[in-house]
Amino acid sequence: MTFSGLTSIIIAASSTSSSPPPALTPLFIAIDSNNNVYTSNIANSTISKVTSSGVVTQTWATLASNATPYGIAIDSNNNVYTANHDNYTISKVTSSGVVTDPWATLSSSSGDYGIAIDSNGNVYTANHSNDTISKVTSSGVVTQTWATLASNAIPQLIAIDSNNNVYTANYSNSTISKVTSSGVVTDPWATLASGASPFGIAIDSNNNVYTANFANNTISKVTSSGVVTQAWATIPIANPVGIAIDSNNNVYTANNGNCTISKVTSSGFVTRTWATLASNANPNGIAIDSNNNVYTANTGNSTISKVTSSGAVTQSWATL
């Protein structure tokens, strides 16, 4: 298979080898309420599961061979959903492992990338090929074009605040879009630095919005009222992709460019290299469990890293 567009960029961003990515190639990562860890594996269209104690099921769920799951998210009942970029679908896997594939079919031009779930169990995808957001109710009713963004947005990842407002990180025009739960679109809601190229997006407990800006190595912060700090934190040569926030509102990024994790406290104190991963890790996805342990999906070497809240690093906590 071939990895198209921005995915090939983030896989290869810091690679020094001409070899293709290995084995399962996990791209993004999510954690359920029992602290089980799941990855979306783009090389073989599967989902891996690792229990909180580290027991690995490399192929926990098998999707259609042409699915290529990108984003992954988990609802309040611990059902797992993936945004399947190459066949324009969403898959659902129950906590017991029952697979519905496809669970929802989107427009053939969607190129669904990020996925997120609101407090009512509605599922949303950021569709980077046609600059839209799709919505699927918990019962499976699909609105393929729930929101339309600027034609040059190229939304990547997607996040939802405590009021069920939906936000996208728009890579191409360096903006953030906001859509209310009733579908009112503000596009752009926030404008970042020209060339920032935001990839990951996350929201803290105060509904402040943060983006990991791949191209200019910064983190932007936008308050719930829309006040923008374009370079809230600077992390040189990092090429951050994923971003996540712990229960204390500390912000973490998975840095594809230099195989590290950065940490920024809620007050803005930056630790550029909070954790160092294997030199070929190329982390993309990042997620945090209920104990504030941090995990990354390492696309470069098909592993998951774990870093405790105190900073103890296990570079290859799980091998996929």
Side-chain angles (χ1 to χ4, degrees):
M1 68 177 298
T2 59
F3 302 114
S4 60
L6 292 171
T7 301
S8 63
I9 294 173
I10 62 175
I11 289 172
S14 65
S15 177
T16 58
S17 171
S18 60
S19 301
L24 305 188
T25 316
L27 188 60
F28 291 113
I29 189 167
I31 301 175
D32 71 16
S33 65
N34 298 311
N35 289 333
N36 298 305
V37 178
Y38 303 81
T39 61
S40 53
N41 304 322
I42 58 177
N44 67 352
S45 294
T46 63
I47 302 170
S48 295
K49 176 181 178 179
V50 187
T51 66
S52 59
S53 59
V55 177
V56 180
T57 304
Q58 290 184 333
T59 305
W60 177 69
T62 300
L63 312 180
S65 60
N66 65 336
T68 315
Y70 281 17
I72 185 168
I74 300 175
D75 70 16
S76 60
N77 295 312
N78 288 334
N79 299 305
V80 179
Y81 301 79
T82 59
N84 302 326
H85 179 272
D86 284 4
N87 70 357
Y88 318 112
T89 65
I90 300 171
S91 297
K92 176 181 178 179
V93 189
T94 66
S95 58
S96 60
V98 177
V99 181
T100 303
D101 179 47
W103 175 68
T105 299
L106 309 181
S107 164
S108 61
S109 63
S110 64
D112 44 321
Y113 205 109
I115 189 168
I117 303 171
D118 71 17
S119 63
N120 297 312
N122 299 307
V123 178
Y124 302 81
T125 60
N127 304 324
H128 78 168
S129 294
N130 66 0
D131 299 302
T132 65
I133 301 171
S134 295
K135 176 180 177 179
V136 188
T137 66
S138 58
S139 60
V141 177
V142 181
T143 303
Q144 290 184 339
T145 305
W146 178 68
T148 299
L149 311 180
S151 61
N152 64 338
I154 309 187
Q156 297 301 304
L157 298 186
I158 186 169
I160 299 174
D161 71 16
S162 63
N163 297 312
N164 288 334
N165 297 306
V166 179
Y167 303 80
T168 59
N170 302 327
Y171 187 93
S172 183
N173 66 1
S174 294
T175 65
I176 301 170
S177 298
K178 176 181 178 179
V179 189
T180 65
S181 59
S182 59
V184 177
V185 181
T186 303
D187 179 48
W189 174 68
T191 299
L192 310 182
S194 176
S197 300
F199 213 107
I201 188 167
I203 300 172
D204 72 15
S205 62
N206 298 311
N207 287 334
N208 298 306
V209 178
Y210 302 81
T211 59
N213 302 325
F214 182 86
N216 73 352
N217 297 302
T218 64
I219 299 170
S220 295
K221 176 180 178 178
V222 188
T223 65
S224 58
S225 59
V227 178
V228 181
T229 304
Q230 290 183 338
W232 178 68
T234 300
I235 42 177
I237 66 171
N239 296 124
V241 175
I243 187 168
I245 300 173
D246 71 16
S247 63
N248 298 311
N249 287 334
N250 299 306
V251 178
Y252 303 80
T253 59
N255 302 327
N256 182 282
N258 63 1
C259 299
T260 65
I261 301 171
S262 296
K263 176 181 178 179
V264 189
T265 64
S266 58
S267 60
F269 181 81
V270 181
T271 304
R272 291 174 175 173
T273 305
W274 178 68
T276 299
L277 310 182
S279 60
N280 64 341
N282 299 103
N284 287 305
I286 187 168
I288 300 174
D289 71 16
S290 63
N291 298 311
N292 287 334
N293 299 306
V294 178
Y295 302 79
T296 59
N298 302 326
T299 307
N301 64 2
S302 282
T303 64
I304 299 171
S305 295
K306 176 181 178 178
V307 188
T308 65
S309 58
S310 60
V313 181
T314 305
Q315 289 185 339
S316 296
W317 176 69
T319 299
L320 307 181

